[in-house]
Structure formats: C-alpha cells, structure tokens
Amino acid sequence: MKSILILCNGNPPSERLFREHYNPADYLIAADGGGNIALNMGIDPDVVIGDLDSFIPDPPHSFEVIRRGDQEANDLEKALRLAREKGGERITILGATGHRLDHTLKNLSVLKQFNKGFEQIRMVDNFGETLLIPRSFRKVMGIGTQVSLFPLSGKVTGITTSGLQYPLSQETLENGVRDGSSNRVVGRPVEITYDKGDLLLFVATR
Amino acid sequence: MKSILILCNGNPPSERLFREHYNPADYLIAADGGGNIALNMGIDPDVVIGDLDSFIPDPPHSFEVIRRGDQEANDLEKALRLAREKGGERITILGATGHRLDHTLKNLSVLKQFNKGFEQIRMVDNFGETLLIPRSFRKVMGIGTQVSLFPLSGKVTGITTSGLQYPLSQETLENGVRDGSSNRVVGRPVEITYDKGDLLLFVATR
C-alpha cells in the first residue's frame, strides 16, 4: 500500500481534481463527512473513518466503516493513523482546507505532527498544493508558477532558494515579521534549503 | 473614524453577514477585488485600494480608487495602512479567508503585524470570527459556542482558561505538538490569560 488518498470534509475538491488524485491512488480513506463527498461523485471509498457525526451513507453501503470516537484526535488524524497502519508511504489529502479556519489550522498542525511518518504528505485543494518541505528540497516546476513559503510554527532560519523571482539567501521567515508569500518560479529546478524550523511550501495550480 | 470594515477578495461573505457588519461601520475599505464583491451586493465602498489587478468597476463608479502597486505589501496590508491613516480603531475584515490557503496564511501574518496598531482587529467569515487576543481576555459568549485556540507563531506559554469545557491551566500550545482546537463555552464569562506568544482565538458562529 504505497499511495493513499484521504478525503476530508472541508471545501470539496472539484470532480476533476478528485479523479486526478483518485485514479493513481492505491487506497481511498474518507475522513467522516468526506465519505459523502466521495459517494456524491459516484465513488465508494475503501473505508470511512471518524466519529461519524457527519457521515450519512445513502444508499446503504458495502465498504468498511470504522467508528473512532476519540475526542482528542480530529478526523484527519484518525485517517492518517489508519494510513500508517495500512503501510501508506505517499499521502495526498483533499478537502482539508477552505471552510472553517479552525479546521484548516488544526489540519496544518496535524500535517506537522505526521510529516515525519511518511515519505510525503501533501494537502491539495482547488487552488494549489501545500506541503512541509525537507531541509533540502528540489523540484522542477513550470516557469511562472506562483509559490509561497510560510513558517508553520515560529521562525524558520537559514533559508536559501534558487529558481525563484525573489530569492532568499540565508534568511529567516517568521509570521507577522517576514514571510515568503507571492513568489514565482523563474528557473529550473527550484531549490530550497534551510537550517531550522517547519517550512510550508504552497504551490498554486491556477 | 472609529469603526472600519475591510472587504477582501477571498471567499465572499454571505450578503447577510456583509450587511450585518456594513451597517454599523463608519467606513468601508475594499481591498482590490473586494470592490467587486461590494458592488455585486449593491454597495459602493468608500474607497477601493490595491494594485487593482482584480478590481473591475462596472458600471463606472464615483467613489475613490487608490492604486498602490507596492509588491512587498498585499491588498490587506494596504487596506490596513489606509485604515490607520483614517483613524480606524475597531477593524473588521471580511473575505480574508477560505479561498487560496497562501492568501489566508499571509492574511493571518498581516493580522499579527497590525494587531498592536488598533484597539481591535478581527477577521470574520461565514463560519466564525478570528482574532489575536491580548494577554488577558474576557468575554461573555453563548453557552455551547465552539471555540478554538491556536498558537499563531511558535509556542504560546502559560495559558489558563475558565468557562471552557476543556480548561487549560498554565499550559503551552505549539503547532504540531498541542493545540486547543474544538473546545466549547460552558460558563460566563470566558476568561483566557497567557504569558508569551501570539494566541489566536477562533469563535464559531454556526
């Protein structure tokens, strides 16, 4: 079980975006109300997990439903624990952003919490892709692509980039002090390195 | 000029929410494309400010339009600088969340940057209200209201609450380690104190 798609109950992905990520995935975990989103698109998830306060199966389903009522964990955490149990390596999360800001912020916190447990986790929505990048990151991206860098928690130090319109050289980003939003890809590949902290990369897709 | 409403170009507020905040405001600043949202609701803003890459006035308008092309500042920053020039004390921001995650995160960073310059700044959307609270915060809220506490940047230490279902007592919150999401009002008033950091309070309104 390499590639796992998780569908949460935030702002739903477009059907095109959902199918783009569903087709190559080995396994689909719906986090609670995310199950309704899948069913509405005519797809049965492999499993629905959560406290099931939002999932309303209609018509009766044949897939696995796991009720985990733990109040300390949100639905995305429950889905990521299951993804780990299933041997997931590359995780794509849809529907984790865009509606309630508290849920989006909690999901970003969960992203940090689980980031080291997988080869890759990324949150994808109709606007772009968000991931916590490793200390040394390198990727070929389309020239002109809008990208932003954010410190997820506290300072991120020693950031150096190449391939971006506004390059950083051994610089520090900190919320409310300095951030790296609204940058743009101008070279290939984009390379980003940093010393310390949790650096979030947002890549716009439209 | 006491109470200023700022309308940004993120997820648009419902017309009900917009009018609820527009009616008591002394002044309406539309941040770039936020101007279209106001016009679509039949309201002329007092001013539209930004680099004007999103604002498309139709039909021709009679209100003030300020073009500020500064690439270092986003549209909300430009609006908040103008709010300061206009003598704004209490600032409500609509449309700053919900669409692009990079814009939402940038706007939260701007919230921190400008927070000390005003008596109050809050971001309001169709799901709730978000503000950076002072070291000692006290407010009467409806029993059962969902609230979440988040560290905006790094750790927030020495947090003590009363009136909440899951109380905190001299505790630390940190992204990816511990957060205070999905709490609930159980007493009046809610009191929150803390020692150090930037503590974001989200209050759900539905």
Side-chain angles (χ1 to χ4, degrees):
Chain A
M1 198 68 58
K2 299 277 170 98
S3 166
I4 293 184
L5 180 62
I6 295 175
L7 182 55
C8 294
N9 198 21
N11 197 21
S14 68
E15 188 160 343
R16 204 189 116 270
L17 185 71
F18 176 69
R19 288 186 185 274
E20 181 185 326
H21 291 281
Y22 173 69
N23 290 331
D26 297 308
Y27 198 76
L28 171 60
I29 300 175
D32 211 323
N36 302 322
I37 298 173
L39 293 179
N40 286 341
M41 298 206 200
I43 303 284
D44 278 10
D46 290 289
V47 60
V48 177
I49 188 168
D51 56 8
L52 306 183
D53 60 349
S54 311
F55 177 58
I56 305 158
D58 177 35
H61 56 81
S62 58
F63 46 82
E64 191 181 7
V65 175
I66 303 174
R67 187 192 189 98
R68 288 199 184 153
D70 176 8
Q71 275 306 314
E72 291 291 299
N74 80 348
D75 292 327
L76 177 57
E77 281 177 273
K78 291 170 194 171
L80 283 166
R81 280 184 202 155
L82 182 64
R84 207 155 49 190
E85 290 162 27
K86 296 284 181 190
E89 289 169 355
R90 297 175 71 82
I91 312 292
T92 300
I93 303 163
L94 295 171
T97 59
H99 272 172
R100 282 179 55 159
L101 184 57
D102 58 335
H103 291 177
T104 298
L105 295 177
K106 171 68 183 180
N107 287 340
L108 285 171
S109 175
V110 170
L111 187 71
K112 175 179 165 186
Q113 189 190 327
F114 281 84
N115 198 51
K116 287 208 166 68
F118 298 97
E119 197 186 304
Q120 187 194 65
I121 312 186
R122 52 184 184 156
M123 283 168 35
V124 178
D125 60 30
N126 296 323
F127 300 93
E129 179 174 325
T130 305
L131 64 164
L132 271 170
I133 58 175
R135 297 285 148 80
S136 179
F137 175 85
R138 181 191 162 96
K139 194 179 176 184
V140 173
M141 292 190 249
I143 300 294
T145 303
Q146 286 180 56
V147 298
S148 291
L149 293 170
F150 291 102
L152 177 59
S153 179
K155 290 180 189 176
V156 180
T157 60
I159 307 171
T160 297
T161 69
S162 67
L164 298 181
Q165 184 175 12
Y166 307 105
L168 298 172
S169 172
Q170 284 294 321
E171 284 166 78
T172 296
L173 296 183
E174 184 181 1
N175 260 333
V177 180
R178 179 154 196 238
D179 54 62
S181 70
S182 298
N183 215 323
R184 199 174 280 275
V185 175
V186 292
R188 292 164 190 261
V190 170
E191 293 185 291
I192 305 166
T193 57
Y194 64 100
D195 289 340
K196 225 175 153 180
D198 303 296
L199 188 58
L200 211 56
L201 170 68
F202 174 88
V203 182
T205 47
R206 70 168 208 191
Chain B
M1 198 64 59
K2 300 275 171 99
S3 166
I4 293 186
L5 180 62
I6 295 175
L7 182 55
C8 295
N9 199 20
N11 196 21
S14 69
E15 187 159 345
R16 205 190 116 268
L17 185 72
F18 176 69
R19 289 188 184 273
E20 180 186 326
H21 291 281
Y22 173 70
N23 291 331
D26 297 308
Y27 198 76
L28 172 60
I29 300 175
D32 212 321
N36 303 320
I37 298 173
L39 293 178
N40 286 340
M41 299 206 201
I43 303 284
D44 276 10
D46 290 290
V47 60
V48 177
I49 188 168
D51 55 8
L52 306 182
D53 60 349
S54 310
F55 178 57
I56 306 157
D58 175 36
H61 56 82
S62 58
F63 47 83
E64 190 181 7
V65 175
I66 304 174
R67 186 190 189 99
R68 287 200 184 151
D70 176 8
Q71 275 306 316
E72 291 291 300
N74 80 348
D75 292 326
L76 177 57
E77 281 177 272
K78 292 171 193 170
L80 282 166
R81 281 184 202 155
L82 182 64
R84 207 157 48 191
E85 289 162 28
K86 297 284 181 189
E89 290 169 355
R90 297 174 70 81
I91 312 293
T92 301
I93 304 162
L94 295 172
T97 58
H99 272 172
R100 280 179 56 158
L101 184 56
D102 57 336
H103 292 176
T104 299
L105 294 177
K106 171 70 182 179
N107 287 340
L108 285 172
S109 176
V110 170
L111 187 72
K112 175 178 165 184
Q113 190 189 328
F114 281 83
N115 198 50
K116 288 209 164 67
F118 297 98
E119 196 186 304
Q120 187 194 67
I121 313 186
R122 52 185 181 153
M123 283 169 32
V124 179
D125 60 30
N126 296 323
F127 299 94
E129 180 174 324
T130 305
L131 65 164
L132 271 170
I133 59 174
R135 297 286 146 80
S136 179
F137 175 84
R138 182 189 160 99
K139 193 177 179 189
V140 172
M141 292 189 248
I143 301 294
T145 303
Q146 287 180 55
V147 299
S148 290
L149 293 169
F150 291 102
L152 178 59
S153 180
K155 290 181 190 177
V156 180
T157 59
I159 307 171
T160 297
T161 69
S162 65
L164 297 182
Q165 184 175 10
Y166 306 105
L168 297 171
S169 171
Q170 283 295 320
E171 285 166 76
T172 296
L173 296 183
E174 183 181 2
N175 260 333
V177 179
R178 183 158 191 232
D179 54 62
S181 70
S182 299
N183 215 323
R184 198 175 280 275
V185 175
V186 292
R188 291 164 191 263
V190 169
E191 293 185 291
I192 304 166
T193 58
Y194 64 99
D195 290 340
K196 222 175 156 180
D198 303 296
L199 189 58
L200 211 56
L201 171 67
F202 172 88
V203 182
T205 47
R206 74 169 207 191

